[in-house]
Amino acid sequence: MQRQWWQASVGYQIWPKSFNDSNGDGMGDIPGILEKLDYLQQLGVDLLWLSPIYPSPLADEGYDISDYCGVDPRFGTMADLERLIAETKRRGMRLLLDLVVNHCSDEHPWFQKALADPEGPYGQYFYFRRGKNGAPPCNWRGYFGAGVWSPVPGRADLYYLHLFHEKQPDLNWSNPALRREIYQMVNWWLDKGIAGFRVDAIVNIGKPDSFRDYPADRPDGLADCCNMLAEPSAKAHLAEYLTELRDNTFRPHGAFTVGEVFDTDPAELAAFIGPDGYFSSMFDFAATCCGKSPKGWWAARRPSPTDYRDCCFSSQKAAQGVGFLSNVIENHDEPRGASHYLPLGFEEQPRAQKALAAVTLLLRGLPFLYQGQELGMTNKPFASIHEVDDVNTKGEYAACLAAGLRADDALEVIAHYSRDNARTPVQWSAQANAGFTAGTPWMPVNPRYRSVNAEAQQADPASALNFYKKLISLRKDPAYKETLVWGDFEPLYTEREGLAAFWRRADKKLLVLSNLSDEAMLLPLPGPVRAVVLNSRQLPPELEQQALILAPWQALVLEME
Ligand code: TEU
């Protein structure tokens, strides 16, 4: 496989509204990110992905864009962003923006012009369709729980399509004029000096040639819109548009791209991330999807640490020899990884968080950390549904009630899965509002900030933060980089519950052992140990000739003969 500059990178996602507030308005901003570049550099991350910073009415926290080439005044100015591009470069870091082109905001001038004249040229930028006997054109349910068609104001029987919120109309990629506008915008940003993009919800741009009903799958009589992704005409269009997008933008710029791609058939991996793929990389969402139900969050089952391991391992095997996945345990759409993958009662324990971190950082692929993950931030407490900000959570709460759950049970469900869990302000210090803002934070900080914060962890050699630093510097250590970045992956001891064990092998033979359980484990060793390269616990590993005892939640990297 051809070597690329980005393969040895470690990514870090910034969700700007909750990262760091420089001006006391309670919301994070770009100057706030600039203030924390030293922190990020010391952590060792080098590929920074900013969730959307464009002007937006915030119906979906910035994923509803009303101007693709601007910076929302809440976050700062274009000059601030240019400074961020320059400052990241100066530190050997690179900046990625979020490319959200399945849909825009209903307040984008394109949609405003389209509404004014649905039969005119801008009408062709969107999907306008007539209803069927007084009902919407088809029975799809969108990703946030409501129907995907909303009526066009003032036009009897005309609807527009939105797979997400009604304020996020889908862009019509079958229109070459729309595609040209998008390519121009993408190139404009790349020419400005960003290194590339995280590409949002992108599999949805290929729509089937006709919008037809699917069998209803919930009491609302609707069917999950993602059924359309399997339609051959939708797949064919997706391939056509992604090839064209790559060839007209990313490829000529040598850009790095990571796709938000769900549910790929292993047979399609090469098309997405192979040497000639649409993207450089894509997120591995196997564990994210594990236990989820098409019925909604109320019917989801929480994955165990063994499920987490099995999901990662099967993705690793599928991607090996094909391309580089981007490995995540959390992002701005998911519960906190510690709260989701660790057993109840262990989510707040740094030793358990470190065992999880060792797995995600040492797999083959690019690790992407989400802000606060390195501190072991956990889910937030929810006292009432009225505290919820996220539109997706509101839809899921309604689905809980429709399924017959009592209000308090519904609250318990959404408290675990809500996207707000990831969106509380980053905990910088034990000072007021966790040092995030001098004003009133737009969303309350997690009350755990007094004990869990960056300042305290910097001073504590046994903190989660310092272990993340060690893992990242191990990946970059010239002695081990070849093996950890480009080496192969091979699982072992998979019959053992709660143990993640795998080889990374190239010029060195590294054995990664992570005990994702609270029981000590006696393990046979597959050969003589040359050196203990990393140990997550102060306890020295109990090494015998042929075996070792792995303490509860202990992660080890052993260099083997
Ligand atoms: O997410 C796409 C997506 O599929 C999610 O809506 C997912 O189904 C949901 O979050 C699961 O909880 C992307 C962005 O990451 C998300 O923040 C946006 O809301 C969405 O696109 C629309 O732009």
Side-chain angles (χ1 to χ4, degrees), residues 60 63 103 144 164 198 200-201 260 332-333 392 419 423:
D60 182 21
Y63 284 90
H103 44 267
F144 297 153
F164 293 89
R198 175 264 187 182
D200 183 74
E260 190 199 23
H332 67 297
D333 290 334
N392 194 19
R419 306 197 299 180
R423 301 175 180 190

Side-chain angles (χ1 to χ4, degrees), residues 128-138 149 155-159:
F128 287 100
R129 292 288 185 279
R130 308 228 155 267
K132 242 180 13 195
N133 311 321
C138 70
W149 297 100
R155 288 291 300 264
D157 207 32
L158 195 63
Y159 295 82

Side-chain angles (χ1 to χ4, degrees), residues 287-293 296-303 331-336 339-341 379-380 382 388 390 392-394 396-397 400 409-423:
T288 309
C289 296
C290 177
K292 293 240 169 103
S293 161
W297 292 349
W298 64 271
R301 178 186 61 80
R302 281 186 52 189
N331 63 31
H332 67 297
D333 290 334
E334 298 299 323
R336 285 291 181 173
S339 300
H340 191 53
Y341 296 112
N379 278 358
K380 74 184 215 104
F382 282 86
V388 169
D390 167 40
N392 194 19
T393 307
K394 291 175 187 167
E396 290 284 352
Y397 184 77
C400 288
D409 293 331
L411 188 65
E412 199 182 311
V413 169
I414 62 104
H416 181 74
Y417 290 99
S418 176
R419 306 197 299 180
D420 288 348
N421 284 309
R423 301 175 180 190

Side-chain angles (χ1 to χ4, degrees), residues 39 375 427-431 434 448-466 469:
Y39 168 87
L375 307 173
Q427 294 155 207
W428 295 108
S429 73
Q431 318 222 313
R448 292 187 64 228
Y449 76 90
R450 285 185 192 83
S451 53
V452 178
N453 63 67
E455 197 174 80
Q457 293 201 18
Q458 268 160 334
D460 172 6
S463 65
L465 175 63
N466 278 314
K469 280 188 194 167

Side-chain angles (χ1 to χ4, degrees), residues 188-517:
W188 181 82
W189 278 114
L190 290 170
D191 289 338
K192 250 189 186 311
I194 66 163
F197 294 94
R198 175 264 187 182
V199 191
D200 183 74
I202 194 66
V203 287
N204 296 290
I205 65 172
K207 305 287 194 290
D209 289 334
S210 67
F211 295 111
R212 62 184 180 92
D213 285 353
Y214 301 124
D217 55 22
R218 288 192 196 173
D220 59 8
L222 302 179
D224 197 331
C225 66
C226 76
N227 283 307
M228 69 111 185
L229 301 175
E231 293 226 26
S233 60
K235 278 185 184 285
H237 293 312
L238 178 65
E240 176 194 331
Y241 306 150
L242 290 182
T243 304
E244 198 186 86
L245 171 65
R246 176 198 64 200
D247 292 348
N248 283 281
T249 62
F250 310 146
R251 183 167 278 175
H253 280 89
F256 169 81
T257 52
V258 50
E260 190 199 23
V261 178
F262 279 94
D263 292 335
T264 330
D265 187 326
E268 292 171 334
L269 260 185
F272 282 86
I273 58 165
D276 199 30
Y278 312 132
F279 304 118
S280 316
S281 180
M282 62 188 248
F283 292 111
D284 176 19
F285 289 126
T288 309
C289 296
C290 177
K292 293 240 169 103
S293 161
K295 295 190 183 315
W297 292 349
W298 64 271
R301 178 186 61 80
R302 281 186 52 189
S304 67
T306 308
D307 291 329
Y308 172 75
R309 172 201 69 187
D310 291 345
C311 288
C312 293
F313 284 12
S314 65
S315 301
Q316 289 279 301
K317 283 189 263 174
Q320 181 141 262
V322 176
F324 278 69
L325 290 170
S326 288
N327 301 314
V328 288
I329 60 164
E330 61 196 61
N331 63 31
H332 67 297
D333 290 334
E334 298 299 323
R336 285 291 181 173
S339 300
H340 191 53
Y341 296 112
L342 295 174
L344 216 62
F346 292 96
E347 65 275 28
E348 295 183 4
Q349 295 198 12
R351 59 187 184 144
Q353 295 162 355
K354 291 183 210 171
L356 196 58
V359 181
T360 152
L361 270 283
L362 298 173
L363 291 172
R364 192 174 165 281
L366 281 81
F368 263 84
L369 274 56
Y370 178 70
Q371 62 186 34
Q373 173 185 331
E374 73 278 18
L375 307 173
M377 280 179 66
T378 47
N379 278 358
K380 74 184 215 104
F382 282 86
S384 143
I385 184 67
H386 303 296
E387 287 176 5
V388 169
D389 169 72
D390 167 40
V391 310
N392 194 19
T393 307
K394 291 175 187 167
E396 290 284 352
Y397 184 77
C400 288
L401 298 182
L405 268 71
R406 294 190 351 222
D408 50 347
D409 293 331
L411 188 65
E412 199 182 311
V413 169
I414 62 104
H416 181 74
Y417 290 99
S418 176
R419 306 197 299 180
D420 288 348
N421 284 309
R423 301 175 180 190
T424 61
V426 172
Q427 294 155 207
W428 295 108
S429 73
Q431 318 222 313
N433 297 315
F436 162 73
T437 178
T440 306
W442 76 278
M443 177 183 272
V445 295
N446 188 317
R448 292 187 64 228
Y449 76 90
R450 285 185 192 83
S451 53
V452 178
N453 63 67
E455 197 174 80
Q457 293 201 18
Q458 268 160 334
D460 172 6
S463 65
L465 175 63
N466 278 314
F467 188 63
Y468 269 96
K469 280 188 194 167
K470 280 187 201 147
L471 284 166
I472 296 170
S473 67
L474 180 62
R475 285 186 69 94
K476 303 205 173 226
D477 182 335
Y480 299 107
K481 181 170 166 178
E482 181 66 31
T483 306
L484 288 173
V485 175
W486 291 285
D488 66 3
F489 162 90
E490 192 192 326
L492 72 171
Y493 308 138
T494 46
E495 71 292 347
R496 300 284 291 258
E497 282 281 310
L499 171 71
F502 51 94
W503 284 110
R504 297 301 316 277
R505 279 182 300 219
D507 58 338
K508 300 265 167 34
K509 287 170 75 180
L510 296 178
L511 182 61
V512 179
L513 300 171
S514 184
N515 185 349
L516 300 172
S517 88

